[in-house]
Amino acid sequence: MTHIKKKSSLLTVTVACIGVVYGDIGTSPLYTLRECLTGQAGITLTQSSLFGFLSLIFWLLMLVVSVKYISFVMRADNDGEGGILTLMSLAVRNLSPRWVPLIMFLGLVGGSFFYGDGVITPAISVLSAIEGLEIIEPSLDRFIIPFSIAVLTLLFFIQKNGTGSVGKIFAPVMVVWFVTIGLMGLSGILRNPQVFQALNPYWAVHFFAEYKTVSFFALGMVVLSVTGGEALYADMGHFGKKPIRIAWFILVGPSLVLNYFGQGALLLSKPDAIQNPFFLLAPDWALIPLLILATLATVIASQAVISGVFSLTRQAVRMGYLPPMRIIYTSDEESGQIYIPVVNWLLYFAVLIAILSFKHSSNLASAYGIVVTGTMVITSLLIGIVMVKNWGWKSWAGGLMMAVMLLIDVPLFAANLVKLFSGGWLPVAIGLAILVIMLTWKTERSRLLRRLRQDPEALEALIVSLEKAPPKRVPGTAVVMSRGQYEVPLVLLHNLKHNKILHERVILLTVATEDVPYVHNVRRVTIEQLSPTFWRVIASYGWREKPNVSDILYRCGLEGLKCTMNETSFFMSRDTFVLGDPRPWYLKARGKLFQILQRNSLRAPEHYHIPPNRVIELGAVVKF
């Protein structure tokens, strides 16, 4: 009975992961083969070029997705969680300190690039689906952009309600989608089975020999077939490795291959179908249902990317790479279901600009690829380090595996660089803007913490002096929020200076984020009594958890430090940051950006879920 239940559970999770993990890569057949055969000057539709592209698509899917991500990268997990920032954290764990800044920079670049991908994916996916209107009736082409904007507007608008209810239909729709495109492809192949010759890698080699330099730049379009591969790793924490692997090998991978080859079979007999081989592969009676299904599938693909951006943002905030911002948890059961208003609407407006600027999925295809392949290169570098430093591989074995991966990724990245001036600048610019914000927040915040008084002896001396000659004591507990374990809190000094009172019990509270998704409740709080009336409490959370002072006080009570919310006052410093020593212009600009981010970041009472009527904030001017 237990065995049957486990099987059922695995099946349920496997089906669920199809709706989230494979949305992006699953909608690539809508435009990939068309762009391969029309997007590069000097390449015409011939049997040789068609077989060459199909062979490249097939072997990329096998090598990049099946081998690299499914077999190797997904083994690099942090307590079950994946993603580029997780891989970065793993890579620096056992690394020489001199290399840590470089590896962290690479990880942040990869994370920033995901935001650029988050703008292009919804735009190109939904546009390519709605463009099916042209096949049904050419005169409907004027409605493509308005309909696309309407669909995406609705999608971004419902984010605030959470994806739980919508997510229940994701999996069935995507299962129907993959079965449908697989059957479409199979029907095309049965009419022209010679297309299976393209499985032979000879055609990929022959393609490079025939088209020479032009074939290299054509790789920029072939890579469209594997965009979304990073999602397998990023969403690993939601579903686990086994369901993702089963879904790929049983349904997703075969359906994609069948559809690409089915489109190829159609083009062998009807070259004019290059206008839109995906929709023309279907019979006339099925065009309208297919258009509806494709639109739903691209909405789901967009949702998966949006959720991925939310998850990456939360991780970056908790790891100290982005300022605190309002994060709404839309599910009591699933911590991964979150909504971040500021990110949602900034992403929405960026997607609208992309659609209105590029107008057609073919134009967006020219902007697609740089950030995706850039992330692939960074992933290969980081996984090579993890193989040697974390898994105990011999240096030559890890280096060889890294070289093999880079042998694929670097040419793909280089081929996409030519897209920089034809639209690729947009996701790159978005990624670089996010990178600047991350680096600014991290470096300036670290600089600020160094300037604050992290002095154990000074803190001890202050406590000793207050115990020997205390000011007037008042009933209750004062929880003084402290950024660092040995910081002399400015808010405590200001309270003594202006109010000349001290609560009968003082708790110096530091909330720390550990480099793990979750911290077990046994290790949630560490309590140290510093004097008869002073305690230090360090509350530890993982980056997927939300700090909550009510929970902290409850845990303290279990450890013997009992205090209730009604008798506790929370003292916080509301700092005004000003630039300190004279700086060069670029460091001054970075400082100004930090001031802007600090002013607009989420205030500590909201971040830690402290009741407003229990908070006392005292202002302070802090130079950094």
Side-chain angles (χ1 to χ4, degrees):
M1 190 73 177
T2 307
H3 183 62
I4 295 173
K5 187 175 181 180
K6 284 184 178 178
K7 275 190 173 180
S8 174
S9 177
L10 178 62
L11 177 63
T12 302
V13 177
T14 301
V15 172
C17 86
I18 292 172
V20 176
V21 176
Y22 293 107
D24 189 357
I25 197 171
T27 52
S28 295
L30 281 163
Y31 48 82
T32 297
L33 193 58
R34 180 192 68 197
E35 295 307 318
C36 285
L37 291 162
T38 61
Q40 183 61 51
I43 296 180
T44 56
L45 175 53
T46 63
Q47 178 177 305
S48 176
S49 65
L50 178 61
F51 282 7
F53 275 121
L54 288 174
S55 186
L56 285 169
I57 289 171
F58 173 77
W59 288 106
L60 264 190
L61 286 170
M62 294 302 103
L63 294 174
V64 173
V65 181
S66 299
V67 177
K68 177 182 174 180
Y69 280 101
I70 294 284
S71 301
F72 287 100
V73 176
M74 284 180 61
R75 289 180 57 198
D77 68 291
N78 186 353
D79 199 16
E81 295 290 332
I84 190 72
L85 293 185
T86 294
L87 191 58
M88 174 194 74
S89 297
L90 293 174
V92 301
R93 279 188 182 176
N94 303 308
L95 207 59
S96 169
R98 63 175 179 168
W99 293 107
V100 169
L102 175 61
I103 300 305
M104 294 185 72
F105 176 76
L106 287 176
L108 291 180
V109 170
S112 302
F113 276 178
F114 188 76
Y115 287 88
D117 183 29
V119 172
I120 300 296
T121 295
I124 192 174
S125 298
V126 173
L127 262 180
S128 60
I130 305 294
E131 282 165 2
L133 287 171
E134 289 180 303
I135 306 302
I136 297 171
E137 175 55 56
S139 63
L140 295 176
D141 64 341
R142 66 182 184 276
F143 295 110
I144 291 174
I145 292 179
F147 280 5
S148 299
I149 291 175
V151 168
L152 286 166
T153 300
L154 179 62
L155 175 63
F156 279 95
F157 187 79
I158 65 172
Q159 294 301 311
K160 63 182 179 182
N161 300 318
T163 59
S165 56
V166 183
K168 292 177 182 176
I169 67 166
F170 280 10
V173 169
M174 289 309 293
V175 169
V176 172
W177 168 257
F178 283 115
V179 171
T180 300
I181 66 172
L183 291 176
M184 285 168 56
L186 183 61
S187 68
I189 292 168
L190 291 176
R191 289 194 293 269
N192 209 339
Q194 65 168 316
V195 74
F196 269 135
Q197 295 178 45
L199 289 173
N200 190 335
Y202 159 80
W203 288 104
V205 177
H206 181 267
F207 177 78
F208 287 114
E210 181 180 358
Y211 289 100
K212 299 179 175 62
T213 305
V214 176
S215 65
F216 171 75
F217 296 114
L219 286 174
M221 296 302 172
V222 179
V223 79
L224 294 173
S225 63
V226 293
T227 55
E230 187 72 21
L232 279 70
Y233 181 47
D235 290 322
M236 186 170 65
H238 293 285
F239 304 101
K241 303 172 187 178
K242 193 172 182 179
I244 292 175
R245 288 170 172 161
I246 291 173
W248 172 255
F249 288 113
I250 298 298
L251 178 64
V252 178
S255 296
L256 291 175
V257 172
L258 285 173
N259 192 263
Y260 282 124
F261 277 70
Q263 291 183 45
L266 172 68
L267 293 173
L268 281 176
S269 54
K270 294 182 181 178
D272 57 339
I274 193 61
Q275 174 193 359
N276 199 321
F278 177 83
F279 281 101
L280 291 172
L281 187 59
D284 292 341
W285 61 265
L287 283 177
I288 292 178
L290 183 61
L291 174 65
I292 295 171
L293 180 61
T295 302
L296 287 173
T298 54
V299 165
I300 292 169
S302 303
Q303 175 64 61
V305 172
I306 295 167
S307 299
V309 169
F310 288 166
S311 297
L312 180 65
T313 301
R314 175 183 60 179
Q315 186 175 358
V317 167
R318 299 289 293 124
M319 293 175 73
Y321 293 110
L322 285 175
M325 57 186 75
R326 190 176 175 219
I327 300 175
I328 299 172
Y329 291 78
T330 59
S331 171
D332 294 329
E333 290 81 26
E334 176 51 60
S335 65
Q337 291 184 19
I338 58 176
Y339 170 63
I340 307 178
V342 64
V343 173
N344 184 69
W345 295 113
L346 286 176
L347 194 60
Y348 169 68
F349 287 115
V351 171
L352 283 194
I353 292 170
I355 288 179
L356 293 172
S357 301
F358 291 90
K359 295 183 172 61
H360 196 277
S361 62
S362 293
N363 299 330
L364 277 165
S366 298
Y368 213 7
I370 296 181
V371 294
V372 174
T373 52
T375 304
M376 287 167 58
V377 170
I378 292 170
T379 299
S380 295
L381 292 170
L382 296 182
I383 194 64
I385 294 171
V386 170
M387 286 173 178
V388 176
K389 296 296 183 180
N390 297 50
W391 298 349
W393 285 31
K394 299 291 186 183
S395 296
W396 66 267
L400 179 62
M401 183 58 69
M402 182 195 294
V404 171
M405 292 179 181
L406 292 175
L407 200 60
I408 299 171
D409 296 338
V410 171
L412 292 175
F413 177 65
N416 276 277
L417 284 177
V418 299
K419 296 180 180 180
L420 189 61
F421 298 105
S422 61
W425 58 268
L426 178 62
V428 171
I430 293 169
L432 289 177
I434 298 296
L435 178 62
V436 168
I437 290 173
M438 284 185 168
L439 291 175
T440 297
W441 182 259
K442 185 68 174 179
T443 54
E444 291 298 314
R445 190 167 174 271
S446 298
R447 177 188 176 96
L448 173 65
L449 290 175
R450 285 195 300 270
R451 291 185 69 93
L452 293 173
R453 297 179 64 187
Q454 292 286 336
D455 188 345
E457 293 182 0
L459 180 61
E460 183 182 353
L462 174 65
I463 293 173
V464 169
S465 67
L466 289 173
E467 292 289 5
K468 284 183 177 179
K472 182 180 179 180
R473 291 277 190 171
V474 294
T477 301
V479 175
V480 181
M481 303 298 291
S482 174
R483 295 183 183 89
Q485 183 175 350
Y486 299 107
E487 176 191 347
V488 179
L490 291 176
V491 65
L492 177 62
L493 299 178
H494 283 303
N495 183 48
L496 291 169
K497 178 180 179 182
H498 296 289
N499 297 324
K500 298 178 175 58
I501 59 169
L502 192 66
H503 283 69
E504 60 186 6
R505 184 166 55 172
V506 180
I507 297 174
L508 304 179
L509 174 61
T510 301
V511 179
T513 302
E514 294 192 10
D515 185 22
V516 291
Y518 300 98
V519 171
H520 197 280
N521 283 331
V522 173
R523 299 193 299 109
R524 179 71 69 207
V525 295
T526 302
I527 302 172
E528 179 185 358
Q529 186 166 4
L530 304 176
S531 73
T533 60
F534 275 80
W535 281 261
R536 177 188 293 124
V537 174
I538 299 175
S540 300
Y541 285 86
W543 50 259
R544 282 202 72 176
E545 299 177 292
K546 49 181 178 179
N548 189 306
V549 294
S550 297
D551 175 62
I552 294 172
L553 294 183
Y554 173 73
R555 298 289 166 193
C556 287
L558 295 179
E559 298 292 327
L561 183 59
K562 297 186 181 297
C563 48
T564 63
M565 186 67 74
N566 291 333
E567 65 166 18
T568 303
S569 298
F570 292 85
F571 284 81
M572 297 186 171
S573 179
R574 189 162 191 174
D575 301 323
T576 300
F577 296 95
V578 296
L579 295 177
D581 302 328
R583 303 180 173 195
W585 68 268
Y586 56 91
L587 291 181
K588 188 174 182 180
R590 192 174 72 179
K592 292 287 186 184
L593 176 59
F594 177 75
Q595 288 176 310
I596 294 171
L597 294 173
Q598 180 68 37
R599 280 198 300 269
N600 291 280
S601 63
L602 188 69
R603 292 173 55 240
E606 297 174 75
H607 187 55
Y608 297 123
H609 303 277
I610 304 174
N613 62 343
R614 308 309 307 172
V615 176
I616 299 171
E617 289 187 303
L618 296 175
V621 176
V622 179
K623 288 185 178 183
F624 69 102

